């Protein structure tokens, strides 16, 4: 997939308000994508002179509710959820609304609700279709595929379901039952569990890692189980370790990457509009409500054919978005 040089984001933004305090509720401090989305919010907020405070949800609903409640009680002007599922937070989101604290999100792949005013995220269904289609092509139409999913993240089932649908369209391919896990399984036996499932069914030759932090737990376990020459893994997000697996030919062969920092900048841009009492920016040409406020969030499929085009530690969208946002906000770089 070619570099993403096109700009599908906003062309105007209201004058940003000043003296703003914003909180970021991070899904888990151990999941790189969530952390980098918070990095984007922090960078963008600090460029505006805002105060940005992070609260770690620690990868489980109890910790995320505690983080959300702490954010509300800290007296912030607004809250952004960094890939933190709002469903288990309904009570805390109602509390925020009762105190006049707007809540937005990044990296979820959900439609706006009364409680969560926007979500800035790429098209995760497209990701699943891209990865599933890649598996079919790479296998020559004979893949035996093991999907995995973490339903704590709304994006994960969207990706997994689309991947399964794409492989299912292949007449000679086989799709196994989906393996489910949660964030707290990462580093606590997840890799070995998936390796055991692969050993129990020797015909499986493709597996999804769901997302890169989980995939990074699976790859070493598969290697230690002697599966390196048999199984090919695909994943998404774009963590440096996973791009290294692709470069080294180490089990993982494809990754759909997003620029998580972009998502943070986009969420701040939408929050400027909310705090200014102006309409949210709607992405042109979008019919899926989940993408209405996405700000044209970019993504890119990386394989051995193009992974070396990523010269930084993480993929950075090639459309110069930082300078574009700062110009929209009237901030001198």
């Amino acid at each position: 997939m070619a570099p993403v040089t096109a700009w599908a984001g906003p062309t105007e933004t209201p004058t940003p308000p000043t003296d703003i305090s914003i909180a970021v509720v991070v899904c888990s401090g151990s999941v790189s994508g969530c952390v980098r989305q918070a990095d984007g919010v922090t960078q963008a907020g600090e460029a505006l002179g805002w105060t940005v405070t992070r609260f770690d949800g620690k990868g489980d609903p109890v910790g995320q509710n505690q983080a959300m409640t702490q954010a509300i009680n800290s007296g912030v002007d607004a809250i952004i959820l960094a890939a933190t599922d709002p469903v288990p937070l309904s009570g805390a989101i109602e509390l925020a609304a009762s105190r006049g604290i707007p809540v937005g999100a990044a990296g979820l792949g959900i439609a706006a609700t009364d409680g969560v005013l926007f979500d800035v995220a790429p098209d995760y269904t497209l990701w699943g279709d891209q990865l599933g289609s890649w598996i079919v092509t790479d296998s020559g139409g004979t893949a035996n595929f093991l999907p995995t999913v973490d339903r704590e993240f709304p994006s994960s089932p969207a990706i997994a379901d689309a991947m399964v649908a794409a492989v299912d369209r292949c007449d000679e391919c086989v799709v196994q039952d989906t393996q489910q896990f949660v964030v707290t399984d990462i580093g606590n036996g997840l890799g070995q569990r998936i390796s055991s499932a692969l050993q129990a069914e020797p015909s499986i030759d493709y597996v999804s890692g769901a997302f890169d932090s989980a995939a990074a737990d699976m790859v070493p376990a598969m290697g230690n189980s002697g599966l390196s020459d048999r199984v090919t893994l695909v994943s998404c997000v774009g963590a440096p370790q996973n791009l290294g697996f692709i470069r080294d030919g180490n089990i993982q062969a494809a990754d759909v990457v997003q620029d998580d920092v972009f998502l943070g900048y986009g969420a701040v841009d939408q929050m400027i509009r909310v705090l200014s009492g102006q309409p949210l920016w709607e992405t042109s040409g979008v019919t899926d409500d989940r993408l209405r406020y996405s700000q044209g969030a970019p993504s890119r499929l990386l394989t051995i054919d193009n992974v070396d085009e990523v010269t930084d530690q993480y993929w950075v969208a090639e459309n110069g978005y930082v300078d574009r946002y700062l110009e929209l906000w009237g901030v001198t770089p």
Side-chain angles (χ1 to χ4, degrees):
M1 184 175 176
V4 180
T5 57
W7 175 251
T11 56
E12 55 79 25
T13 302
T15 300
T18 57
D19 299 321
I20 295 297
S21 174
I22 191 168
V24 190
V25 177
V26 183
C27 74
S28 171
S30 65
V31 176
S32 63
C34 306
V35 172
R36 282 181 49 76
Q37 289 168 30
D39 289 345
V41 173
T42 300
Q43 291 174 24
E46 290 180 350
L48 293 168
W50 294 2
T51 300
V52 182
T53 306
R54 300 189 194 203
F55 297 85
D56 185 0
K58 300 180 180 178
D60 71 81
V62 173
Q64 290 164 359
N65 268 287
Q66 290 173 343
M68 185 74 174
T69 302
Q70 289 170 357
I72 294 167
N73 290 336
S74 71
V76 294
D77 297 299
I79 297 172
I80 292 175
L81 306 177
T84 303
D85 186 1
V87 173
L89 305 179
S90 57
I93 290 172
E94 289 177 4
L95 177 61
S98 72
R99 297 191 184 180
I101 302 172
V103 178
L108 288 173
I110 62 171
T113 66
D114 290 339
V116 180
L117 302 177
F118 61 82
D119 175 43
V120 177
D123 186 345
Y124 292 122
T125 298
L126 175 63
W127 285 23
D129 187 70
Q130 289 176 328
L131 288 170
S133 298
W134 183 89
I135 288 171
V136 172
T137 300
D138 187 67
S139 70
T142 62
N144 191 317
F145 172 51
L146 177 66
T148 68
V149 68
D150 181 352
R151 296 190 180 279
E152 298 166 296
F153 300 96
S155 60
S156 189
I159 295 165
D161 291 349
M163 207 181 310
V164 166
V167 178
D168 260 340
R169 291 194 293 268
C170 165
D171 291 339
E172 301 300 322
C173 296
V174 175
V175 178
Q176 302 288 332
D177 291 339
T178 301
Q179 292 273 337
Q180 300 191 41
F181 66 92
V182 295
V183 163
T184 52
D185 292 333
I186 299 172
N188 290 299
L190 173 63
Q192 188 53 55
R193 172 156 68 89
I194 299 303
S195 295
S196 296
L198 295 170
Q199 290 172 317
E201 182 49 75
S203 61
I204 297 173
D205 50 6
Y206 287 84
V207 61
S208 75
F211 52 87
D212 283 354
S213 296
D217 193 23
M218 298 176 194
V219 168
M222 292 178 193
N224 292 336
S225 299
L227 297 168
S228 298
D229 295 331
R230 191 193 104 194
V231 177
T232 297
L233 180 142
V234 301
S235 184
C236 54
V237 173
Q241 184 174 4
N242 298 78
L243 302 188
F245 293 151
I246 296 173
R247 290 188 181 98
D248 296 339
N250 184 10
I251 299 178
Q252 184 171 349
D255 202 300
V256 178
V257 299
Q258 65 187 17
D259 187 333
D260 287 297
V261 173
F262 175 101
L263 303 185
Y265 270 80
V268 168
D269 186 83
Q270 294 288 32
M271 192 58 77
I272 289 171
R273 301 166 196 278
V274 172
L275 295 172
S276 302
Q278 298 297 312
L280 293 165
W281 177 266
E282 296 192 20
T283 304
S284 176
V286 165
T287 57
D288 186 335
D289 284 344
R290 295 173 298 178
L291 303 175
R292 177 170 296 174
Y293 304 124
S294 68
Q295 300 233 331
S299 60
R300 188 178 182 190
L301 174 64
L302 296 179
T303 67
I304 192 61
D305 295 327
N306 62 354
V307 68
D308 284 336
E309 294 176 15
V310 179
T311 56
D312 292 324
Q313 189 178 20
Y314 293 89
W315 176 65
V316 178
E318 297 89 354
N319 56 13
Y321 66 89
V322 171
D323 289 342
R324 290 179 184 271
Y325 277 120
L326 295 182
E327 182 178 358
L328 285 169
W329 302 339
V331 174
T332 302

